[in-house]
Amino acid sequence: MTVPADDRISRIVKRLALMFALLVGLGLPAGYFGLQYSNHIKHVELTARLKAQSLSALVAVNPEFWVYQLQRLEELLLRNPPQLVDDRATIRDGAGNLLVALGARPPAPVIARSSPIYDSGRVVGEVRITHSYREVVFGTLIAALLGLLLGVLVYATVLILPLRALRRVAAALVRESAAVSASASRYRALAEAANDAIITADSAGTIVGWNPAAERMFGYTAAEAVGQPLTLVIPPRYRDGHLNGIKRIQAGGERRVSGRSVELHGLTKAGREFPLELSLSEWEAPEGRFFAGVIHDITERKRVALALARQTDLYHMLSQTNQAIVRITSREELFAVVCRVAVEHGRFRFAWIGLIGAEDQRLKPVARYGDDAGYIDELDVLGDAAGDTRRGLAGRVLLSGTSVISNDFLNDPAMAPWHEAARRAGVGASAKFPIREGSAVIGAINVYAGEPGFFTKDVLETLDEMAIDVSFALDNYAREAARSNAENALREGEERYRQMFETNPEPMWVYDVETLAFLAVNDAAVAHYGWPREQFLAMTIADLRPAGDTPGLLDYAFADSGKKFLKNESERHHQKDGTPIDVEITSHLIEFDGRRARIVSAHDVTERKRTERVLREAEEQFRGLVEQSIAGIYIIQDGAFTYVNPRFAEIFGYGSADEPIGHDALSVIAESERATVQENIRKWLQGDARSISYSTTALRKDGSTIEAGVHGTRATYRGRPAILGMVQDISEKKRAEEQIQHYVTQLEKAFMRTVEVATTLSEMRDPYTAGHERRVAEIAVAIGAELGFDARRQEGLRVAGYLHDIGKISLPAEILSKPTKLSRIEYQMIKGHAQASYDILKNVGFPWPVAEIALQHHERMDGSGYPQGLKGEAILLEARILAVADVVEAMSSHRPYRPGLGIEAALAEIERGRGTAYDANVADTCLRLFREKGYTIAT
């Protein structure tokens, strides 16, 4: 059965009507809910972010105290747009503690969004906005009812009036579009009313949104900015990082900035960089991925933070300086601390303190701190180059007595001589502040900052105060030093006089001139006189005198009581045990505890007087000895004899001891010896030598000469410098000494002839090496002389050289003169000659170790020699010298088994074995003799 076309159309229309009815009935509430819910979420997120940014600015200014400023937090939540209206806002700190809550709890259902509060990139709290979307639910229910009615109407309309229904649907869509447009307009109005710049960009980094705040912040209009890359507002040094981030996001990589707030730098149209805080979010749209950045200019926040930090640093600097002034008592230590505090707390690059000298008025550094790259040390040189050091800041501060500042050092023409040094040291600004001692400027505190314009008003005021405090400290140091010196001087004076009285080894006392009673006595008086101190102080000075002297003492004391200074030649006192003593009294009139008194020093001269008596007796006895002495005794004063004894007159042929008196002392000296004797007299009188002994040729009265032995010493005769001497006739002694020396010379010659005979006997056994010992001896003596050996030690080397191979007389002549290579046994026999030499020589009484030298002359420094294998210092130095001389002579001379190798080959061997086989110093000396001093071996 075929369905009529009208029925088919009717069914299709019904189905279409039903489909449209369902679409309208379900789509309307769903679309309404989705759009409204999305708008509410954006509203809540934007509100939370903007409120958090406002609070972050407060935190930056008060990083430690913002959590206590609840009223300020409430004001920021209420005052800064957008308004809360029916929303609830809460603020919590980093630990989650609730600080502020504004607004009633909104009715359910609710949307809640949080935004972090930052302090220098660190999360210190959060703002949470809670918003009710109950009206959205109610609107959705109403939209559902409307959708149901509209669905019924659409169904009926589609069935009855399709065109009218379509027009109505179109009208409804227009209304819905207008609602969406109104929502977008509200969002746009919110963005345009925001104080922070809001910039929207696509995934390629192209600007697609630009609010008025962005225009004010960056200087570009929306027409200029939209369509441009984000690098338009990014400083050049950050652009590569930004482009790399875009590529990373496009490749699906990590989002390092999205969803958080970061501090960056922006670039204005005028080319000025400024600090900013960026909060970045991203979302997907049909057109693609987009990014929205809320940008807050934090220039003022940074300036406030820097000013606060600077003020804190200055406070700490001044506080530390004042603490140092209170604690430190040394000017040098204070200067060092002030420089360190200025750099560590004032954030200066370096600082130094200079003082002016009494003669040189330039500042000389006495303390410094920080890395100045040599700037301070160059100041004098640069000052000279400038022609006048007072053209610089230092000179100006010393002349004016006020602080001097160069806030743009490298562009200050007056600082031109110092520009290069300042550039190396990183100086951008400099200031100098005078320091005073009393009213005079004595130096300056010098500080250097890295950036121009560093010295603001508050910095200068603080540094001025610090310089004043340092000057005050210097005045205190000076006052304290003067007070301390005065007190010390007073104490030292009192102590010195007390010590002089108490510790004086001479007895001292103080007595009242009216009563003659003792007022004070020292330890020496107590010890010397024997009375205890208490008993002494109960006595008078009359108690020290014998009873018969008391009336005379009283007459003397009262008669001279008004004289300031008194001195008695000698007085007779007695000690407690009755022992009489002689004393010399010296006294001085003083005031003692309000009384007229005398301080007395008593010098015991009892022993001196006894000694004088003994001396007088001894002098008589000594004169008798001198007059009868077997040696001539004389005294010379003013170049002439003032006394001679009889023996002196006898030696020089005078008739009596009075005859030479007054004669010139040089008149008894032979003409050829007078200059020497005159020099000796000068040495005596000028103190160069207290006593001198010498022999000279003397001249007798009759003109004959004798050999005299003289000993003289400097003395005092009758209170004046003189020469006291003894002279003896040593003519016979000198002739005997000359005869003994003649015999010694003959013995030495006989000894050397004996040595030469022994050498000749050895050479007769080995005629092919004739002259070897003599040449070795001469080379060894030359090396020894170069090493500083004296003549006697050189003679020992010569004897050892002559006899070092004496042991070869024990070897068969056939071996010694064999022209071919020796067998092992023959070579061992040859090596035995050193021991044989020792055995022959060991019992000979040489004054040198000749036998040991002969035994060791084949030893080597490294122990490779024979016969004992000695090493290093174990070998006698003379043996080490003989070893080198032996090798040089042997290699350069002919042998039965080879021709001579020449002196250069011999020296090369010495050079090769230097420090191993041969002593390095001896080898060097030998090489120097032959190569530099032209020494040759005698033939």
Side-chain angles (χ1 to χ4, degrees):
M1 179 176 177
T2 303
V3 178
D6 289 339
D7 291 339
R8 288 198 301 273
I9 293 171
S10 177
R11 284 196 296 272
I12 292 171
V13 170
K14 287 180 180 179
R15 290 172 182 171
L16 287 173
L18 181 59
M19 182 180 67
F20 281 114
L22 291 173
L23 181 63
V24 171
L26 297 175
L28 181 61
Y32 176 84
F33 181 83
L35 180 62
Q36 292 298 324
Y37 187 79
S38 175
N39 287 340
H40 279 254
I41 287 177
K42 291 179 180 179
H43 163 76
V44 172
E45 288 180 343
L46 182 60
T47 300
R49 186 178 301 115
L50 293 176
K51 298 297 184 184
Q53 290 172 356
S54 299
L55 293 173
S56 295
L58 175 63
V59 172
V61 177
N62 301 282
E64 301 297 331
F65 303 100
W66 70 275
V67 295
Y68 304 106
Q69 300 181 353
L70 302 183
Q71 184 176 357
R72 177 63 175 156
L73 296 176
E74 291 178 359
E75 289 177 358
L76 288 175
L77 287 177
L78 293 173
R79 188 185 65 191
N80 286 13
Q83 300 299 318
L84 292 177
V85 191
D86 297 327
D87 297 335
R88 176 179 173 82
T90 61
I91 301 175
R92 295 179 183 273
D93 61 16
N97 299 314
L98 179 64
L99 302 178
V100 174
L102 292 178
R105 293 184 180 275
V110 296
I111 302 169
R113 291 291 186 271
S114 300
S115 185
I117 301 171
Y118 292 97
D119 177 24
S120 301
R122 179 173 61 89
V123 175
V124 297
E126 68 171 12
V127 175
R128 186 177 183 87
I129 304 296
T130 306
H131 175 76
S132 174
Y133 63 94
R134 175 178 288 186
E135 63 181 19
V136 177
V137 174
F138 289 157
T140 302
L141 293 175
I142 294 172
L145 293 174
L146 289 175
L148 180 60
L149 294 174
L150 285 174
V152 173
L153 290 174
V154 166
Y155 184 79
T157 301
V158 171
L159 289 177
I160 302 171
L161 297 172
L163 293 177
R164 183 179 296 175
L166 289 173
R167 283 196 294 269
R168 290 177 179 173
V169 169
L173 291 175
V174 168
R175 286 194 299 273
E176 187 63 29
S177 176
V180 172
S181 176
S183 177
S185 297
R186 286 196 299 274
Y187 175 76
R188 187 162 47 252
L190 179 63
E192 291 180 355
N195 291 326
D196 292 331
I198 301 176
I199 301 175
T200 308
D202 59 20
S203 59
T206 302
I207 298 172
V208 297
W210 187 268
N211 75 337
E215 182 175 333
R216 293 191 298 272
M217 187 178 294
F218 291 96
Y220 295 100
T221 64
E224 292 174 324
V226 173
Q228 297 294 325
L230 282 172
T231 53
L232 179 71
V233 294
I234 297 176
R237 64 180 182 279
Y238 300 121
R239 287 174 183 170
D240 289 343
H242 164 73
L243 295 175
N244 291 334
I246 292 291
K247 292 177 182 178
R248 185 176 61 255
I249 292 173
Q250 289 175 344
E254 176 188 4
R255 270 73 168 163
R256 298 180 181 174
V257 179
S258 297
R260 49 192 289 254
S261 294
V262 294
E263 290 186 1
L264 301 171
H265 283 80
L267 182 67
T268 67
K269 183 178 181 180
R272 179 181 65 85
E273 287 191 25
F274 66 97
L276 57 84
E277 184 179 72
L278 170 66
S279 298
L280 187 66
S281 60
E282 61 177 296
W283 75 91
E284 290 282 351
E287 297 85 354
R289 183 178 299 276
F290 292 89
F291 299 88
V294 178
I295 300 171
H296 181 64
D297 187 343
I298 60 174
T299 301
E300 182 62 20
R301 189 175 83 192
K302 288 286 188 182
R303 188 196 66 77
V304 171
L306 179 61
L308 181 61
R310 179 74 58 79
Q311 195 62 43
T312 301
D313 290 339
L314 293 175
Y315 170 77
H316 286 161
M317 180 180 71
L318 191 59
S319 174
Q320 291 292 321
T321 300
N322 288 331
Q323 290 181 31
I325 289 172
V326 172
R327 186 181 70 255
I328 294 172
T329 58
S330 162
R331 182 169 75 172
E332 292 71 18
E333 186 180 355
L334 175 64
F335 287 164
V337 171
V338 168
C339 291
R340 177 180 60 77
V341 166
V343 174
E344 292 181 352
H345 295 281
R347 301 194 183 186
F348 296 105
R349 291 191 65 83
F350 58 93
W352 63 280
I353 292 178
L355 299 179
I356 57 176
E359 298 178 358
D360 188 352
Q361 292 296 303
R362 291 179 296 183
L363 278 181
K364 295 296 183 182
V366 295
R368 65 178 74 186
Y369 193 82
D371 182 11
D372 65 315
Y375 179 89
I376 298 173
D377 294 329
E378 294 185 39
L379 287 179
D380 271 349
V381 176
L382 295 173
D384 293 340
D388 180 5
T389 55
R390 299 209 169 215
R391 287 171 49 192
L393 298 182
R396 301 213 304 263
V397 76
L398 295 176
L399 289 173
S400 66
T402 59
S403 59
V404 181
I405 302 97
S406 177
N407 234 347
D408 191 2
F409 198 95
L410 296 180
N411 293 315
D412 188 344
M415 300 297 105
W418 296 270
H419 279 174
E420 184 57 35
R423 192 174 288 107
R424 288 197 304 271
V427 173
S430 173
K432 298 179 185 292
F433 301 84
I435 52 178
R436 291 177 168 82
E437 194 170 65
S439 60
V441 176
I442 65 167
I445 300 174
N446 310 268
V447 290
Y448 298 81
E451 61 268 20
F454 185 90
F455 294 99
T456 58
K457 180 181 178 182
D458 53 348
V459 174
L460 294 176
E461 289 175 351
T462 303
L463 290 171
D464 268 326
E465 185 175 351
M466 184 172 75
I468 292 172
D469 290 346
V470 171
S471 299
F472 176 76
L474 296 183
D475 290 340
N476 277 346
Y477 291 163
R479 286 192 295 270
E480 180 62 23
R483 184 189 63 78
S484 178
N485 290 339
E487 290 180 353
N488 290 338
L490 181 60
R491 281 195 298 269
E492 288 173 2
E494 292 176 350
E495 181 65 18
R496 183 164 55 248
Y497 290 123
R498 188 186 68 80
Q499 288 291 333
M500 288 173 61
F501 182 81
E502 294 292 342
T503 64
N504 197 313
E506 299 286 1
M508 293 187 71
W509 56 78
V510 179
Y511 72 89
D512 189 322
V513 296
E514 294 181 2
T515 65
L516 304 183
F518 287 108
L519 302 177
V521 293
N522 71 349
D523 293 341
V526 171
H528 195 70
Y529 283 85
W531 282 288
R533 189 182 304 274
E534 296 77 9
Q535 188 175 353
F536 222 132
L537 294 176
M539 297 163 53
T540 69
I541 60 172
D543 296 326
L544 301 181
R545 301 289 293 269
D549 290 346
T550 302
L553 169 65
L554 295 176
D555 292 341
Y556 167 78
F558 290 125
D560 294 328
S561 62
K563 294 182 179 179
K564 196 168 186 64
F565 178 78
L566 290 175
K567 182 175 181 180
N568 292 343
E569 288 295 329
S570 178
E571 292 182 4
R572 176 59 63 94
H573 285 183
H574 66 86
Q575 296 172 322
K576 181 181 179 182
D577 60 4
T579 303
I581 57 174
D582 293 310
V583 294
E584 287 183 350
I585 297 295
T586 303
S587 67
H588 199 279
L589 190 64
I590 62 171
E591 183 173 325
F592 187 86
D593 290 341
R595 305 181 188 181
R596 292 178 70 249
R598 281 192 177 276
I599 183 169
V600 177
S601 173
H603 177 58
D604 190 337
V605 294
T606 306
E607 184 64 23
R608 189 186 76 188
K609 288 197 171 186
R610 187 191 66 78
T611 302
E612 288 175 352
R613 289 194 299 271
V614 172
L615 283 177
R616 283 193 296 272
E617 295 171 359
E619 183 178 356
E620 294 298 326
Q621 190 176 27
F622 176 73
R623 178 175 292 275
L625 291 174
V626 169
E627 295 293 332
Q628 300 175 30
S629 173
I630 62 173
I633 298 175
Y634 63 89
I635 297 176
I636 298 174
Q637 204 166 45
D638 298 328
F641 292 112
T642 58
Y643 171 81
V644 298
N645 72 344
R647 175 56 180 161
F648 182 94
E650 181 183 349
I651 291 173
F652 288 93
Y654 291 100
S656 69
D658 295 331
E659 191 174 350
I661 302 302
H663 288 194
D664 188 340
L666 296 178
S667 63
V668 297
I669 305 298
E671 188 72 30
S672 60
E673 300 287 336
R674 287 182 180 177
T676 301
V677 175
Q678 180 68 42
E679 177 62 17
N680 289 337
I681 292 174
R682 185 196 65 77
K683 291 179 179 179
W684 276 321
L685 295 178
Q686 293 185 1
D688 294 345
R690 181 163 183 80
S691 63
I692 299 177
S693 297
Y694 60 94
S695 61
T696 186
T697 302
L699 193 63
R700 287 169 56 87
K701 180 180 178 181
D702 60 7
S704 62
T705 60
I706 59 172
E707 291 299 320
V710 180
H711 176 80
T713 186
R714 182 162 50 89
T716 300
Y717 180 64
R718 294 177 179 173
R720 297 175 54 228
I723 298 171
L724 173 63
M726 296 178 63
V727 61
Q728 286 185 315
D729 185 348
I730 60 171
S731 301
E732 290 300 322
K733 177 184 175 184
K734 192 162 186 180
R735 280 193 292 272
E737 288 176 349
E738 289 174 352
Q739 187 64 37
I740 292 171
Q741 183 61 38
H742 175 68
Y743 293 151
V744 169
T745 303
Q746 284 184 326
L747 287 173
E748 288 178 348
K749 289 180 179 179
F751 170 74
M752 289 307 299
R753 295 294 179 270
T754 303
V755 170
E756 290 173 1
V757 167
T759 304
T760 302
L761 290 173
S762 175
E763 290 176 349
M764 289 175 65
R765 295 277 296 164
D766 186 8
Y768 291 99
T769 59
H772 166 73
E773 288 85 350
R774 178 180 56 79
R775 291 191 291 272
V776 169
E778 296 304 322
I779 295 171
V781 169
I783 294 174
E786 189 70 15
L787 289 173
F789 282 19
D790 58 25
R792 179 174 175 79
R793 201 172 181 186
Q794 292 178 39
E795 192 65 20
L797 270 176
R798 178 175 283 105
V799 171
Y802 280 162
L803 299 176
H804 74 281
D805 280 343
I806 191 68
K808 287 184 179 180
I809 65 175
S810 65
L811 298 175
E814 294 80 4
I815 294 176
L816 294 175
S817 59
K818 184 177 180 179
T820 59
K821 183 177 180 181
L822 297 175
S823 67
R824 187 172 62 84
I825 295 175
E826 291 170 337
Y827 181 63
Q828 289 299 322
M829 292 177 67
I830 288 291
K831 290 173 64 177
H833 82 278
Q835 183 65 45
S837 298
Y838 174 77
D839 293 337
I840 293 170
L841 300 171
K842 65 181 180 181
N843 293 321
V844 179
F846 294 109
W848 313 282
V850 175
E852 287 77 7
I853 297 170
L855 177 63
Q856 297 176 9
H857 79 277
H858 278 292
E859 300 288 356
R860 296 294 182 258
M861 295 296 289
D862 56 5
S864 61
Y866 63 85
Q868 296 173 294
L870 300 178
K871 291 183 179 181
E873 296 298 323
I875 306 169
L876 291 174
L877 178 56
E878 286 84 347
R880 286 178 258 160
I881 295 172
L882 209 62
V884 171
D886 191 30
V887 169
V888 170
E889 198 287 326
M891 290 187 66
S892 60
S893 301
H894 292 287
R895 288 293 181 266
Y897 50 85
R898 60 153 175 81
L901 301 177
I903 188 61
E904 285 305 322
L907 296 179
E909 164 60 20
I910 298 303
E911 197 166 30
R912 180 199 63 76
R914 176 189 179 277
T916 54
Y918 313 114
D919 183 285
N921 192 22
V922 175
D924 291 342
T925 303
C926 177
L927 295 172
R928 185 167 61 252
L929 272 174
F930 281 93
R931 290 179 174 172
E932 297 179 14
K933 298 195 174 182
Y935 182 82
T936 58
I937 301 175
T939 57

